[in-house]
Coordinates of all heavy atoms in Angstrom, one line a residue:
L165 N 11.4 48.2 110.0 CA 10.7 47.6 111.3 C 11.8 47.5 112.3 O 11.5 47.3 113.5 CB 10.2 46.2 110.9 CG 8.9 46.3 110.1 CD1 8.5 44.8 109.7 CD2 7.8 46.9 110.8
G166 N 13.1 47.7 112.0 CA 14.1 47.7 113.0 C 14.5 46.3 113.5 O 14.4 45.2 112.8
E167 N 14.8 46.2 114.8 CA 15.4 45.0 115.4 C 14.5 43.8 115.3 O 14.9 42.6 115.4 CB 15.8 45.3 116.8 CG 17.0 46.3 117.0 CD 17.4 46.5 118.4 OE1 16.8 46.0 119.3 OE2 18.4 47.2 118.6
V168 N 13.2 44.0 115.3 CA 12.1 42.9 115.4 C 12.4 42.0 114.1 O 12.0 40.8 114.2 CB 10.8 43.4 115.5 CG1 10.5 44.1 116.7 CG2 10.3 44.2 114.2
V169 N 13.0 42.6 113.1 CA 13.2 41.7 112.0 C 14.5 40.7 112.0 O 14.5 39.8 111.2 CB 13.2 42.6 110.7 CG1 14.8 43.2 110.6 CG2 13.0 41.9 109.4
E170 N 15.3 41.0 112.9 CA 16.6 40.2 113.0 C 16.2 38.6 113.1 O 16.9 37.8 112.4 CB 17.4 40.7 114.1 CG 17.9 42.1 113.8 CD 18.8 42.5 115.0 OE1 19.0 41.9 116.1 OE2 19.3 43.7 114.8
P171 N 15.3 38.2 114.0 CA 15.0 36.8 114.0 C 14.5 36.2 112.7 O 14.8 35.0 112.4 CB 14.0 36.6 115.1 CG 14.1 37.8 116.0 CD 14.6 38.9 115.0
V172 N 13.7 37.1 112.0 CA 13.2 36.6 110.8 C 14.2 36.3 109.7 O 14.3 35.4 109.0 CB 12.1 37.7 110.2 CG1 11.7 37.3 108.9 CG2 11.0 37.8 111.2
L173 N 15.3 37.3 109.7 CA 16.3 37.3 108.8 C 17.2 36.0 109.2 O 17.8 35.3 108.3 CB 17.2 38.5 108.7 CG 16.4 39.7 108.3 CD1 17.2 40.9 108.3 CD2 15.8 39.5 106.9
R174 N 17.5 35.7 110.5 CA 18.3 34.6 110.9 C 17.5 33.2 110.4 O 18.4 32.3 109.9 CB 18.5 34.6 112.3 CG 19.5 35.7 113.0 CD 19.9 35.3 114.3 NE 18.8 35.4 115.3 CZ 18.4 36.5 115.9 NH1 19.1 37.6 115.7 NH2 17.4 36.5 116.8
A175 N 16.4 33.3 110.5 CA 15.6 32.0 110.0 C 15.8 31.9 108.6 O 15.9 30.7 108.1 CB 14.2 32.0 110.5
A176 N 15.5 32.9 107.8 CA 15.6 32.9 106.4 C 17.1 32.6 105.9 O 17.2 32.0 104.8 CB 15.2 34.2 105.8
A177 N 18.1 32.8 106.7 CA 19.4 32.6 106.3 C 19.7 31.0 106.2 O 20.6 30.6 105.5 CB 20.4 33.1 107.3
A178 N 18.8 30.2 106.8 CA 18.9 28.8 106.7 C 17.8 28.1 105.8 O 17.6 26.9 105.8 CB 18.8 28.2 108.2
H179 N 17.1 29.0 105.0 CA 16.1 28.5 104.2 C 16.7 27.7 103.1 O 17.8 27.9 102.5 CB 15.4 29.7 103.6 CG 14.1 29.3 102.9 ND1 13.9 28.8 101.7 CD2 12.8 29.4 103.5 CE1 12.6 28.6 101.5 NE2 11.9 29.0 102.5
P180 N 16.0 26.6 102.6 CA 16.5 25.7 101.6 C 16.5 26.4 100.2 O 17.4 25.9 99.3 CB 15.5 24.6 101.6 CG 14.3 25.1 102.2 CD 14.7 26.1 103.2
D181 N 15.9 27.5 99.9 CA 15.8 28.2 98.8 C 17.0 29.2 98.7 O 17.1 30.1 99.5 CB 14.5 28.8 98.5 CG 14.4 29.5 97.1 OD1 15.0 30.5 96.8 OD2 13.7 29.0 96.2
A182 N 17.9 29.1 97.7 CA 19.0 30.0 97.6 C 18.7 31.4 97.4 O 19.2 32.4 97.9 CB 20.0 29.6 96.5
G183 N 17.5 31.7 96.7 CA 17.0 33.0 96.5 C 16.5 33.7 97.7 O 16.7 34.9 98.0
V184 N 15.8 32.9 98.6 CA 15.4 33.5 99.9 C 16.7 33.8 100.8 O 16.7 34.9 101.4 CB 14.5 32.4 100.6 CG1 14.3 33.0 102.1 CG2 13.2 32.2 99.9
R185 N 17.6 33.0 100.7 CA 18.8 33.3 101.7 C 19.6 34.5 101.2 O 20.0 35.3 101.9 CB 19.7 32.0 101.6 CG 19.2 30.8 102.2 CD 20.2 29.8 102.6 NE 21.2 29.5 101.7 CZ 20.9 28.6 100.6 NH1 19.8 27.9 100.6 NH2 21.8 28.3 99.8
A186 N 19.6 34.6 99.7 CA 20.4 35.8 99.3 C 19.6 37.1 99.6 O 20.1 38.1 99.9 CB 20.5 35.6 97.7
H187 N 18.4 37.0 99.4 CA 17.5 38.2 99.7 C 17.6 38.6 101.2 O 17.7 39.8 101.7 CB 16.0 37.9 99.4 CG 15.2 39.1 99.4 ND1 13.8 39.1 99.1 CD2 15.4 40.5 99.6 CE1 13.3 40.3 99.2 NE2 14.2 41.1 99.6
A188 N 17.6 37.6 102.1 CA 17.6 37.8 103.5 C 19.0 38.5 103.8 O 19.1 39.4 104.7 CB 17.5 36.5 104.2
A189 N 20.1 37.9 103.2 CA 21.4 38.5 103.4 C 21.5 39.9 103.0 O 22.2 40.8 103.7 CB 22.5 37.7 102.7
A190 N 21.0 40.2 101.8 CA 21.0 41.6 101.3 C 20.1 42.6 102.2 O 20.5 43.6 102.4 CB 20.4 41.7 99.9
T191 N 19.0 42.0 102.8 CA 18.2 42.8 103.7 C 18.9 43.1 105.0 O 18.8 44.2 105.5 CB 16.9 42.1 104.0 OG1 16.3 41.8 102.8 CG2 16.0 42.9 105.0
E192 N 19.6 42.1 105.5 CA 20.4 42.3 106.7 C 21.5 43.4 106.5 O 21.7 44.2 107.3 CB 21.2 41.0 107.1 CG 21.7 41.2 108.6 CD 22.2 39.9 109.1 OE1 22.1 38.8 108.4 OE2 22.6 39.8 110.3
R193 N 22.2 43.4 105.3 CA 23.2 44.4 105.1 C 22.5 45.8 105.0 O 23.1 46.8 105.5 CB 23.9 44.2 103.7 CG 24.8 43.0 103.7 CD 25.7 43.0 102.5 NE 24.9 42.7 101.2 CZ 24.7 41.6 100.7 NH1 25.0 40.5 101.3 NH2 23.9 41.5 99.7
L194 N 21.3 45.8 104.4 CA 20.7 47.1 104.4 C 20.2 47.6 105.8 O 20.2 48.8 106.0 CB 19.3 47.0 103.5 CG 18.7 48.2 103.0 CD1 19.7 48.9 102.1 CD2 17.4 47.8 102.1
L195 N 19.8 46.6 106.7 CA 19.4 46.9 108.0 C 20.6 47.5 108.8 O 20.5 48.5 109.5 CB 18.9 45.6 108.7 CG 18.5 45.8 110.2 CD1 17.3 46.7 110.3 CD2 18.2 44.4 110.8
R196 N 21.8 47.0 108.6 CA 23.0 47.5 109.2 C 23.6 48.7 108.7 O 24.1 49.6 109.4 CB 24.2 46.4 109.1 CG 23.8 45.0 109.7 CD 23.4 45.1 111.1 NE 23.0 43.8 111.6 CZ 22.3 43.6 112.7 NH1 21.8 44.6 113.4 NH2 21.9 42.3 113.1
D197 N 23.4 48.9 107.2 CA 23.8 50.1 106.7 C 22.9 50.5 105.5 O 22.8 50.0 104.5 CB 25.2 49.9 106.0 CG 25.7 51.0 105.3 OD1 25.2 52.1 105.4 OD2 26.9 50.9 104.6
P198 N 21.9 51.5 105.9 CA 20.9 51.9 105.0 C 21.5 52.5 103.6 O 20.7 52.5 102.7 CB 20.2 53.1 105.7 CG 20.5 52.8 107.2 CD 21.8 52.2 107.3
D199 N 22.8 52.9 103.6 CA 23.3 53.4 102.5 C 24.0 52.3 101.6 O 24.6 52.6 100.5 CB 24.4 54.5 102.7 CG 23.7 55.7 103.4 OD1 22.5 56.0 103.0 OD2 24.3 56.3 104.3
A200 N 24.0 51.0 102.0 CA 24.7 50.0 101.4 C 23.9 49.7 100.0 O 22.7 49.9 99.8 CB 24.7 48.7 102.3
A201 N 24.7 49.2 99.1 CA 24.1 48.8 97.8 C 23.4 47.6 98.0 O 23.7 46.7 98.7 CB 25.3 48.6 96.7

Side-chain angles (χ1 to χ4, degrees):
L165 289 171
E167 294 181 356
V168 297
V169 79
E170 292 179 358
V172 175
L173 297 179
R174 285 197 296 271
H179 196 279
D181 187 287
V184 173
R185 295 201 308 277
H187 191 183
T191 303
E192 187 168 8
R193 288 194 296 273
L194 199 64
L195 180 64
R196 304 301 177 199
D197 180 7
D199 295 324

